[in-house]
């Protein structure tokens, strides 16, 4: 997956839900490399255009509504006409802000906060489509994807703040939700993935799988080295460490054997999770790894049998595996050091008694 282009995927099951990325069992993934940014928003007015080709996007970091006072404001009026005049002042201010937007030539406006009904009216008359209450991170990404500059005051907006790096603005309905698409973004640095599921548990599981997959892709991009998966690497290391322990004598060999036994927990867990025979399969795997040429043999996580990972095509990033081993060894050493300190304190107390 390219990190410089935006991609979207929609994955469907047979009945009720659509998702973006799938596992091998129940869903299928359709991934497109279109430079597209998407957000779960609809236009604020039914008469606004839902499809704009070559849009000119303006991103506003604020609200498009009359700004009320920060503290309590008291207004004394003597005639009913004075109240109407006060409302006209508010209306004129909102109209002035919309006129500033129209002068920039923008035809699609993205607002972070509120957008009043009066502002909607003036924007519809000017032929401008608008979406509101967009989260700040989404607003920043839309600005990056379209080439726009985020502004805070409409009176300071210029044509240079308009984003034109987008070929199409389109509103589409997926299920019961409306989504705004910014397609054909040039040199887009943002990516949108839509996850839809029948329940919150399904969505959370899909999101975890997606995060794991993207993390693996990121690690591979940073360090392309890989090692065999399925517990093959752990078993090969355990075999090597156990061979080194056999060359030592005395108590110094026991830490080597302890680390080797700890590494075998990974293949043992894989066998146990798929309902295989733990002791028999683990013994077969040990026998395979007795020959250093069989370093790539591991556990088939579906059948619980031993397979060659070169043929099974299961690999793990070297960076992740290295980090796991370093962290585990350092944690064990820290616990051992703490035990020594506690033991020393306890012995001093006993001597004092």
């Amino acid at each position: 997956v390219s990190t410089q282009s935006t991609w979207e995927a929609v994955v469907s099951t047979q009945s009720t839900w659509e998702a973006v990325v799938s596992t091998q069992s129940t869903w299928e993934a359709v991934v497109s490399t279109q430079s597209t940014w998407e957000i779960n928003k609809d236009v604020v007015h039914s008469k606004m255009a839902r499809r704009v080709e070559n849009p000119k996007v303006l991103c506003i970091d604020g609200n498009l509504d009359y700004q009320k006072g920060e503290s309590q404001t008291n207004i004394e009026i003597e005639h009913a006409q004075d109240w109407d005049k006060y409302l006209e002042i508010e209306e004129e201010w909102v109209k002035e802000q919309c006129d500033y937007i129209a002068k920039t030539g923008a035809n699609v406006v993205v607002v972070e906060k509120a957008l009043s009904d009066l502002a909607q009216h003036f924007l519809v008359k000017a032929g401008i489509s608008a979406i509101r209450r967009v989260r700040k991170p989404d607003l920043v990404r839309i600005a990056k994807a379209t080439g726009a500059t985020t502004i805070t005051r409409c009176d300071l907006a210029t044509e240079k703040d308009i984003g034109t790096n987008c070929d199409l603005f389109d509103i589409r309905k997926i299920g019961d939700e409306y989504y705004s698409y910014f397609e054909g973004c040039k040199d887009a640095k943002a990516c949108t993935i839509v996850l839809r599921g029948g329940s919150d548990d399904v969505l959370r599981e899909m999101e975890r799988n997606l995060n794991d997959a993207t993390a693996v892709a990121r690690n591979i991009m940073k360090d392309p080295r890989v090692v065999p998966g399925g517990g093959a690497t752990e078993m090969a290391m355990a075999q090597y460490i156990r061979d080194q322990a056999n060359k030592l004598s005395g108590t110094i060999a026991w830490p080597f054997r302890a680390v080797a036994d700890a590494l075998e927990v990974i293949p043992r867990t894989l066998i146990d999770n798929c309902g295989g025979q733990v002791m028999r399969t683990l013994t077969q795997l040990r026998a395979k790894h007795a020959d250093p040429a069989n370093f790539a043999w591991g556990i088939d996580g579906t059948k619980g049998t031993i397979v060659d990972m070169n043929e099974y095509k299961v690999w793990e990033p070297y960076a992740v595996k290295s980090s796991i081993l370093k962290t585990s060894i350092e944690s064990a050493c820290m616990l051992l050091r703490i035990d020594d300190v506690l033991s020393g304190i306890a012995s001093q107390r006993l001597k004092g008694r």
Side-chain angles (χ1 to χ4, degrees):
V1 177
S2 172
T3 57
Q4 295 183 354
S5 62
T6 305
W7 53 281
E8 170 206 3
V10 177
V11 182
S12 60
T13 58
Q14 295 179 357
S15 56
T16 58
W17 53 277
E18 296 175 352
V20 173
V21 182
S22 67
T23 60
Q24 297 180 357
S25 57
T26 57
W27 357 311
E28 298 176 353
V30 179
V31 181
S32 64
T33 57
Q34 298 177 356
S35 298
T36 304
W37 174 256
E38 175 272 336
I39 186 173
N40 186 12
K41 292 290 181 181
D42 190 11
V43 291
V44 295
H45 198 282
S46 59
K47 292 185 178 180
M48 289 182 176
R50 293 176 176 269
R51 180 182 178 88
V52 180
E53 296 183 358
N54 298 320
K56 297 179 180 180
V57 183
L58 180 64
C59 298
I60 302 176
D61 183 6
N63 55 8
L64 200 56
D65 193 3
Y66 183 76
Q67 297 180 357
K68 299 178 175 58
E70 296 181 359
S71 58
Q72 184 177 358
T73 304
N74 295 324
I75 301 175
E76 296 182 2
I77 59 176
E78 296 180 356
H79 306 285
Q81 294 81 1
D82 296 337
W83 177 251
D84 295 335
K85 185 176 181 180
Y86 177 76
L87 295 179
E88 288 177 2
I89 295 175
E90 291 187 358
E91 181 178 344
E92 290 176 0
W93 186 91
V94 174
K95 184 178 184 301
E96 185 179 21
Q97 302 303 309
C98 294
D99 290 339
Y100 287 135
I101 295 174
K103 288 180 181 180
T104 62
N107 51 16
V108 175
V109 176
V110 183
V111 184
E112 180 188 0
K113 297 180 181 178
L115 195 153
S116 65
D117 295 340
L118 189 58
Q120 295 177 29
H121 169 71
F122 291 123
L123 292 177
V124 169
K125 291 180 64 177
I128 300 174
S129 300
I131 55 179
R132 63 182 173 183
R133 302 195 184 280
V134 177
R135 296 187 308 120
K136 182 65 174 288
D138 292 335
L139 184 70
V140 173
R141 295 188 183 105
I142 291 175
K144 288 183 178 180
T146 60
T149 301
T150 305
I151 64 171
T152 56
R153 293 177 55 182
C154 296
D155 56 336
L156 299 179
T158 62
E159 294 183 4
K160 296 181 180 179
D161 300 324
I162 301 299
T164 57
N165 297 337
C166 181
D167 294 337
L168 178 64
F169 169 75
D170 191 19
I171 303 294
R172 300 174 188 172
K173 186 177 182 180
I174 302 177
D176 296 331
E177 301 288 337
Y178 287 94
Y179 294 86
S180 300
Y181 283 78
F182 296 85
E183 293 186 350
C185 299
K186 303 176 181 64
D187 193 23
K189 306 245 178 196
C191 172
T192 299
I193 299 176
V194 182
L195 295 178
R196 301 187 65 247
S199 64
D200 291 339
D201 294 334
V202 172
L203 282 173
R204 281 193 290 267
E205 182 64 23
M206 290 162 53
E207 185 177 1
R208 283 192 293 268
N209 293 338
L210 177 62
N211 289 334
D212 293 341
T214 52
V216 170
R218 178 184 62 87
N219 292 330
I220 292 297
M221 294 293 293
K222 295 177 66 175
D223 189 349
R225 292 178 293 177
V226 293
V227 296
T233 302
E234 287 81 2
M235 183 56 73
M237 295 178 60
Q239 184 66 35
Y240 177 80
I241 294 174
R242 192 173 281 110
D243 292 341
Q244 297 300 315
N246 294 333
K247 298 178 183 179
L248 303 174
S249 59
T251 57
I252 195 173
W254 287 106
F256 288 81
R257 295 191 178 97
V259 173
D261 293 340
L263 289 172
E264 289 187 357
V265 170
I266 301 299
R268 183 184 295 113
T269 304
L270 291 174
I271 300 169
D272 190 27
N273 287 344
C274 63
Q277 298 181 357
V278 178
M279 296 307 299
R280 178 179 298 179
T281 307
L282 198 60
T283 303
Q284 294 175 357
L285 189 59
R286 285 200 193 106
K288 274 288 184 183
H289 280 269
D291 184 1
N294 297 328
F295 68 92
W297 281 75
I299 302 299
D300 183 345
T302 304
K303 300 179 181 178
T305 58
I306 60 174
V307 292
D308 187 359
M309 292 299 156
N310 290 321
E311 300 177 357
Y312 201 59
K313 305 299 183 183
V314 174
W315 306 94
E316 297 184 54
Y318 168 81
V320 175
K321 191 67 67 176
S322 175
S323 177
I324 291 173
L325 292 174
K326 289 179 182 178
T327 304
S328 59
I329 295 296
E330 290 174 358
S331 300
C333 292
M334 181 173 23
L335 291 175
L336 291 174
R337 284 197 298 269
I338 292 174
D339 288 343
D340 290 341
V341 173
L342 293 176
S343 299
I345 294 175
S347 61
Q348 291 179 4
R349 290 177 178 175
L350 290 175
K351 288 180 182 179
R353 292 178 182 176

